[in-house]
Amino acid sequence: MAAEAEPAVPLKPAELVHIGKFAITNSMLVTWIVAAGIIVFAQLATRRIKPIPSGIQNFWEWLVEGLYNFLEGIIGRELVSKTFWFFATIFIFILFVNWFGLVPGVGTIGWGHYDSTTGVFHVDRPLLRGGNADLNMTTAMAVIFFLLWIVWAIQANGVGGFLRHLFGPKGETTGFLKIMLVVIFFMVGWLEVVSILFRPVSLSFRLFGNVYAGESTLEVMSSIFTLLSAQHGPEHAH
């Protein structure tokens, strides 16, 4: 039987360095670079704040203020004042990590082998990989959001209100119909619990799948272009 073809982009990130049992992967390296870049950029933008912003201060204030107004329109003024620090950080981080994945050299510079038949160098272990193309990264962000969501929901409604929202009957009824609704909404509440517990999985795979599919598409397109260039090269030489 013919061997199965390996995917253009491996599902798992490549390990670059081992420090004891701790491994530094190429996706971790990208997240560290992006995080350091965001911190430096934010420090430069807010180092000398002017009443009339300009330059990078103007861009940073536009980004933060735009996010604040956008979230306020969705979740309300009270909740956004409590949760903005998290949502803004996650949004900016994911945005810049995805942008960094489009920088030339990400996924194409690293260690590999030279194919003498096609005259193409194949990168087997890239130095850099998109941070969100690592399921570990997306899962970590989804789990943190899940835990914070539970804390914020309990703070806003209390434990009793949180449970009533899940299992309590909705609407004003009496008699036998009310008993039926109590049973129905209690059963529906358990379905809601399953849905809530599944959210970290769906969120992590959704972001990972989108970024991984995009990187795989770019990898295939670049490979096709390289092969076409290698095939037409000798013709142009004559």
Side-chain angles (χ1 to χ4, degrees):
M1 295 177 63
E4 295 183 0
E6 295 184 358
V9 178
L11 288 173
K12 296 176 60 178
E15 298 180 357
L16 301 178
V17 180
H18 277 273
I19 303 176
K21 295 183 178 181
F22 180 74
I24 299 176
T25 64
N26 49 5
S27 62
M28 292 172 60
L29 181 60
V30 167
T31 58
W32 292 348
I33 293 173
V34 173
I38 293 175
I39 293 172
V40 171
F41 186 84
Q43 291 294 325
L44 292 175
T46 58
R47 181 176 55 179
R48 297 177 180 176
I49 298 179
K50 301 177 182 179
I52 302 178
S54 61
I56 59 175
Q57 179 190 343
N58 189 34
F59 171 78
W60 193 253
E61 289 189 5
W62 167 81
L63 179 61
V64 174
E65 184 178 358
L67 278 174
Y68 191 93
N69 294 333
F70 174 75
L71 290 172
E72 185 179 8
I74 296 176
I75 61 179
R77 180 176 300 178
E78 181 179 353
L79 191 57
V80 75
S81 62
K82 182 186 300 184
T83 63
F84 178 72
W85 62 271
F86 174 77
F87 288 121
T89 302
I90 289 294
F91 177 86
I92 294 173
F93 179 73
I94 292 177
L95 179 66
F96 279 87
V97 167
N98 289 343
W99 281 352
F100 191 87
L102 300 176
V103 173
V106 177
T108 58
I109 297 177
W111 299 267
H113 67 280
Y114 180 79
D115 191 346
S116 58
T117 58
T118 60
V120 177
F121 182 82
H122 295 278
V123 178
D124 301 322
R125 191 165 57 122
L127 176 64
L128 301 173
R129 174 189 174 112
N132 292 324
D134 185 351
L135 189 57
N136 297 307
M137 182 65 192
T138 57
T139 301
M141 290 190 292
V143 170
I144 292 173
F145 167 73
F146 175 73
L147 296 176
L148 288 175
W149 177 83
I150 292 177
V151 172
W152 292 329
I154 293 177
Q155 287 179 346
N157 303 290
V159 177
F162 182 73
L163 294 177
R164 281 195 301 272
H165 177 76
L166 292 176
F167 300 103
K170 280 74 174 177
E172 295 294 333
T173 56
T174 57
F176 178 75
L177 183 59
K178 182 174 184 179
I179 298 175
M180 290 292 297
L181 288 178
V182 168
V183 175
I184 292 173
F185 278 105
F186 180 77
M187 297 173 63
V188 171
W190 286 108
L191 295 178
E192 183 68 18
V193 169
V194 174
S195 173
I196 291 173
L197 294 177
F198 192 75
R199 284 176 189 173
V201 179
S202 62
L203 289 174
S204 58
F205 274 96
R206 183 183 305 168
L207 179 58
F208 166 75
N210 289 335
V211 177
Y212 178 80
E215 292 204 355
S216 298
T217 303
L218 291 175
E219 177 68 20
V220 171
M221 292 174 62
S222 64
S223 300
I224 293 175
F225 178 78
T226 304
L227 290 174
L228 292 176
S229 300
Q231 291 176 0
H232 293 298
E235 297 180 2
H236 292 294
H238 293 289

